[in-house]
Amino acid sequence: NSNINIRFNVCKDNYVSFIDTINKIVKLKEYDSERIKYEITPLKKLTANANFKELKPEEYAKIHLELCLVLKNKGIKLYLPRAFSEPCKYITGNAYCIGPKMKACYCSSDNTLIQDKINILEYKKNITYNHEIPSECLDCNVMPLCIHSCGLLKDEGAACIPEKFILKDILCDYLQYPETWKE
């Protein structure tokens, strides 16, 4: 009776293998689509010696959509994009990422260490954050969904959510096949 979350960390080298994985999962005798949730995320190079090719935001968005449509064609209802109720918890100071060897990082998409061997609870208590929406986000048609781009990934050109590139495709599919989507 457990719920299961399956996360696919995709890159240029592996995303096709997830189609086979989905096909194998849905063929399992015990498979119950109501109990399994799929999460598709881009794989990030957090070390220089990582041996894979990262996807650019537009590439990732197209692959994200492709994998979502594979899931949908296997009878898994997808959720329409929803607006975040608050800004990213990492940039507002309400979250942090603990990585290998208990190193604290700013978020799971950034390998910048907060500090070596720091008392993370004491550190968080003493930080104040300035939350401003970047001017380039104000005219973006998906800004109400994401609240604004990721400040940590902005310099890499990967700050926007995939929906920025595929929202029209998602909405067209929803309008054509509304019964295959959850609202």
Side-chain angles (χ1 to χ4, degrees):
N1 293 329
S2 300
N3 290 322
I4 300 169
N5 289 333
I6 299 174
R7 180 173 165 158
F8 294 150
N9 294 321
V10 297
C11 67
K12 285 186 181 185
D13 308 317
N14 72 358
Y15 80 92
V16 173
S17 70
F18 292 121
I19 296 170
D20 293 334
T21 303
I22 293 165
N23 288 328
K24 288 177 183 176
I25 291 170
V26 299
K27 288 180 183 175
L28 293 171
K29 182 178 76 168
E30 304 84 4
Y31 178 74
D32 179 356
S33 65
E34 292 299 315
R35 292 181 33 229
I36 297 178
K37 179 182 174 191
Y38 298 87
E39 186 177 346
I40 304 163
T41 59
L43 190 56
K44 291 285 300 164
K45 279 191 174 193
L46 297 179
T47 61
N49 61 353
N51 195 19
F52 64 88
K53 296 177 192 120
E54 262 186 55
L55 294 161
K56 294 178 182 158
E58 294 89 348
E59 293 172 319
Y60 168 70
K62 288 177 184 169
I63 288 170
H64 181 90
L65 179 64
E66 180 182 342
L67 290 173
C68 284
L69 293 177
V70 167
L71 289 168
K72 190 173 78 75
N73 290 332
K74 295 294 179 185
I76 292 123
K77 289 190 175 187
L78 302 176
Y79 286 95
L80 287 172
R82 298 195 188 295
F84 292 147
S85 60
E86 60 185 315
C88 173
K89 291 181 184 330
Y90 290 116
I91 64 168
T92 59
N94 294 328
Y96 55 91
C97 178
I98 302 293
K101 299 182 182 177
M102 298 303 290
K103 303 269 184 178
C105 298
Y106 287 102
C107 83
S108 59
S109 293
D110 182 80
N111 66 345
T112 306
L113 296 178
I114 292 174
Q115 250 184 356
D116 246 346
K117 298 178 182 170
I118 192 168
N119 179 335
I120 196 69
L121 296 176
E122 198 58 38
Y123 174 77
K124 289 306 223 184
K125 194 167 61 175
N126 294 320
I127 286 187
T128 57
Y129 291 88
N130 182 12
H131 177 71
E132 292 181 24
I133 297 174
S135 59
E136 62 269 15
C137 294
L138 294 175
D139 293 328
C140 179
N141 63 347
V142 297
M143 202 277 276
L145 289 177
C146 72
I147 300 182
H148 72 70
S149 64
C150 173
L152 292 171
L153 297 177
K154 190 173 182 179
D155 293 337
E156 299 175 26
C160 297
I161 61 174
E163 288 81 0
K164 178 175 182 171
F165 309 103
I166 59 173
L167 187 60
K168 182 178 176 183
D169 298 306
I170 291 170
L171 294 176
C172 286
D173 192 88
Y174 171 73
L175 290 173
Q176 194 169 6
Y177 309 104
E179 69 282 358
T180 63
W181 290 83
K182 293 181 182 180
E183 293 183 28

Coordinates of all heavy atoms in Angstrom, one line a residue, residues 128-161:
T128 N 19.9 36.7 6.8 CA 18.7 37.4 6.3 C 18.8 37.4 4.7 O 19.9 37.4 4.2 CB 18.7 38.8 6.8 OG1 19.8 39.5 6.4 CG2 18.5 38.8 8.3
Y129 N 17.7 37.3 4.1 CA 17.7 37.2 2.6 C 16.9 38.4 2.0 O 15.9 38.8 2.6 CB 17.0 35.9 2.2 CG 17.9 34.7 2.5 CD1 17.8 34.1 3.7 CD2 18.8 34.2 1.6 CE1 18.5 33.0 4.1 CE2 19.6 33.2 1.9 CZ 19.5 32.6 3.2 OH 20.3 31.5 3.5
N130 N 17.4 38.8 0.9 CA 16.7 39.9 0.1 C 16.1 39.2 -1.1 O 16.8 38.7 -2.0 CB 17.7 41.0 -0.3 CG 17.1 42.1 -1.0 OD1 15.8 42.2 -1.1 ND2 17.9 42.9 -1.7
H131 N 14.8 39.2 -1.1 CA 14.1 38.5 -2.2 C 13.5 39.5 -3.2 O 12.5 40.2 -2.9 CB 13.0 37.6 -1.7 CG 12.2 36.9 -2.7 ND1 12.7 35.9 -3.5 CD2 10.9 37.1 -3.2 CE1 11.8 35.5 -4.3 NE2 10.7 36.2 -4.2
E132 N 14.1 39.6 -4.4 CA 13.6 40.5 -5.4 C 13.4 39.7 -6.7 O 14.2 38.9 -7.0 CB 14.6 41.6 -5.6 CG 14.8 42.6 -4.5 CD 15.8 43.7 -4.8 OE1 16.0 44.0 -6.0 OE2 16.3 44.2 -3.8
I133 N 12.4 40.1 -7.4 CA 12.1 39.4 -8.7 C 13.0 40.2 -9.8 O 12.8 41.4 -9.9 CB 10.6 39.5 -9.1 CG1 9.8 38.7 -8.0 CG2 10.4 39.0 -10.5 CD1 8.4 38.8 -8.2
P134 N 13.8 39.4 -10.5 CA 14.6 40.1 -11.5 C 13.8 40.7 -12.6 O 12.7 40.2 -13.0 CB 15.4 38.9 -12.1 CG 15.4 37.9 -11.1 CD 14.1 38.0 -10.4
S135 N 14.2 41.9 -13.1 CA 13.4 42.6 -14.1 C 13.1 41.8 -15.4 O 12.0 41.9 -15.9 CB 14.1 43.9 -14.5 OG 15.4 43.7 -15.0
E136 N 14.1 40.9 -15.8 CA 13.8 40.1 -17.0 C 12.7 39.1 -16.8 O 12.2 38.6 -17.8 CB 15.1 39.5 -17.5 CG 15.7 38.5 -16.5 CD 16.8 39.1 -15.6 OE1 16.8 40.3 -15.5 OE2 17.5 38.3 -15.0
C137 N 12.4 38.8 -15.6 CA 11.3 37.8 -15.3 C 9.9 38.5 -15.3 O 8.9 37.8 -15.5 CB 11.5 37.2 -13.9 SG 13.0 36.2 -13.8
L138 N 9.8 39.8 -15.2 CA 8.5 40.4 -15.1 C 7.7 40.3 -16.4 O 6.5 40.2 -16.3 CB 8.7 41.9 -14.7 CG 9.3 42.2 -13.3 CD1 9.6 43.7 -13.1 CD2 8.4 41.6 -12.3
D139 N 8.3 40.2 -17.5 CA 7.6 40.1 -18.8 C 7.5 38.7 -19.3 O 6.9 38.4 -20.3 CB 8.2 40.9 -19.9 CG 8.1 42.4 -19.6 OD1 7.1 42.8 -19.0 OD2 9.1 43.2 -19.9
C140 N 8.0 37.7 -18.5 CA 8.0 36.3 -18.9 C 6.6 35.7 -18.8 O 5.9 35.9 -17.7 CB 9.0 35.5 -18.1 SG 9.0 33.7 -18.6
N141 N 6.1 34.9 -19.8 CA 4.7 34.4 -19.7 C 4.6 33.3 -18.7 O 3.5 32.9 -18.4 CB 4.2 34.0 -21.1 CG 5.0 32.8 -21.7 OD1 6.1 32.5 -21.2 ND2 4.5 32.3 -22.7
V142 N 5.7 32.7 -18.2 CA 5.5 31.6 -17.2 C 5.9 32.1 -15.8 O 5.9 31.3 -14.8 CB 6.3 30.4 -17.5 CG1 5.8 29.7 -18.8 CG2 7.8 30.6 -17.6
M143 N 6.2 33.4 -15.6 CA 6.7 33.9 -14.3 C 5.6 33.6 -13.2 O 6.0 33.2 -12.1 CB 7.0 35.4 -14.4 CG 7.9 35.9 -13.2 SD 7.0 36.2 -11.7 CE 6.5 37.9 -12.0
P144 N 4.3 33.6 -13.5 CA 3.4 33.3 -12.4 C 3.5 31.8 -12.0 O 3.1 31.5 -10.9 CB 2.0 33.5 -13.1 CG 2.3 34.5 -14.1 CD 3.7 34.2 -14.7
L145 N 4.1 31.0 -12.8 CA 4.3 29.6 -12.4 C 5.5 29.4 -11.5 O 5.5 28.6 -10.6 CB 4.5 28.7 -13.6 CG 3.2 28.4 -14.5 CD1 3.6 27.6 -15.7 CD2 2.1 27.8 -13.7
C146 N 6.6 30.1 -11.8 CA 7.8 29.8 -11.1 C 8.2 30.9 -10.1 O 9.1 30.8 -9.3 CB 9.0 29.7 -12.1 SG 9.5 31.2 -12.9
I147 N 7.5 32.0 -10.1 CA 7.7 33.2 -9.3 C 8.9 34.0 -9.8 O 8.9 35.2 -9.8 CB 7.7 32.9 -7.8 CG1 6.4 32.3 -7.4 CG2 8.0 34.2 -7.0 CD1 6.2 32.0 -6.0
H148 N 10.0 33.4 -10.1 CA 11.1 34.0 -10.8 C 12.2 32.9 -11.0 O 12.2 31.9 -10.4 CB 11.6 35.2 -10.2 CG 12.4 35.1 -8.9 ND1 13.7 34.5 -8.9 CD2 12.1 35.4 -7.7 CE1 14.1 34.5 -7.6 NE2 13.2 35.0 -6.9
S149 N 13.2 33.3 -11.9 CA 14.3 32.3 -12.2 C 15.2 32.0 -11.0 O 15.2 32.8 -10.1 CB 15.1 32.9 -13.4 OG 15.7 34.1 -13.0
C150 N 15.9 31.0 -11.2 CA 16.8 30.5 -10.1 C 18.1 31.4 -10.2 O 18.8 31.5 -11.1 CB 17.2 29.1 -10.3 SG 18.5 28.5 -9.2
G151 N 18.3 32.1 -9.1 CA 19.5 33.0 -9.0 C 20.8 32.2 -9.0 O 21.8 32.7 -9.6
L152 N 20.8 31.0 -8.5 CA 22.1 30.3 -8.5 C 22.4 29.7 -9.9 O 23.6 29.6 -10.2 CB 21.9 29.1 -7.5 CG 21.9 29.5 -6.0 CD1 21.5 28.3 -5.2 CD2 23.2 30.1 -5.6
L153 N 21.4 29.4 -10.7 CA 21.7 28.9 -12.0 C 21.6 29.9 -13.1 O 21.9 29.6 -14.3 CB 20.6 27.8 -12.3 CG 20.6 26.6 -11.4 CD1 19.5 25.6 -11.8 CD2 22.0 25.9 -11.5
K154 N 21.4 31.1 -12.8 CA 21.2 32.2 -13.8 C 22.5 32.4 -14.6 O 22.5 32.5 -15.8 CB 20.9 33.5 -13.1 CG 20.5 34.6 -14.0 CD 20.0 35.8 -13.2 CE 19.5 36.9 -14.2 NZ 19.0 38.0 -13.5
D155 N 23.7 32.3 -13.9 CA 24.9 32.5 -14.7 C 25.2 31.4 -15.6 O 25.9 31.6 -16.6 CB 26.1 32.7 -13.7 CG 26.0 33.9 -12.8 OD1 25.3 34.9 -13.3 OD2 26.6 34.0 -11.7
E156 N 24.6 30.2 -15.4 CA 24.8 29.1 -16.3 C 23.8 29.1 -17.5 O 23.9 28.2 -18.3 CB 24.7 27.8 -15.5 CG 25.7 27.6 -14.4 CD 25.4 26.4 -13.6 OE1 24.8 25.4 -14.1 OE2 25.8 26.3 -12.4
G157 N 22.9 30.0 -17.4 CA 21.9 30.1 -18.5 C 20.8 29.0 -18.3 O 20.1 28.6 -19.3
A158 N 20.7 28.4 -17.1 CA 19.8 27.3 -16.9 C 18.8 27.7 -15.8 O 18.4 26.8 -15.0 CB 20.6 26.1 -16.5
A159 N 18.4 28.9 -15.7 CA 17.6 29.4 -14.5 C 16.1 29.2 -14.7 O 15.4 29.3 -13.7 CB 17.9 30.9 -14.3
C160 N 15.6 29.0 -15.9 CA 14.2 28.9 -16.1 C 13.6 27.5 -16.0 O 14.3 26.5 -16.3 CB 13.8 29.5 -17.4 SG 14.3 31.3 -17.5
I161 N 12.3 27.4 -15.6 CA 11.7 26.1 -15.6 C 11.4 25.6 -17.0 O 11.3 26.4 -17.9 CB 10.4 26.2 -14.7 CG1 9.4 27.2 -15.4 CG2 10.7 26.6 -13.3 CD1 8.0 27.3 -14.7

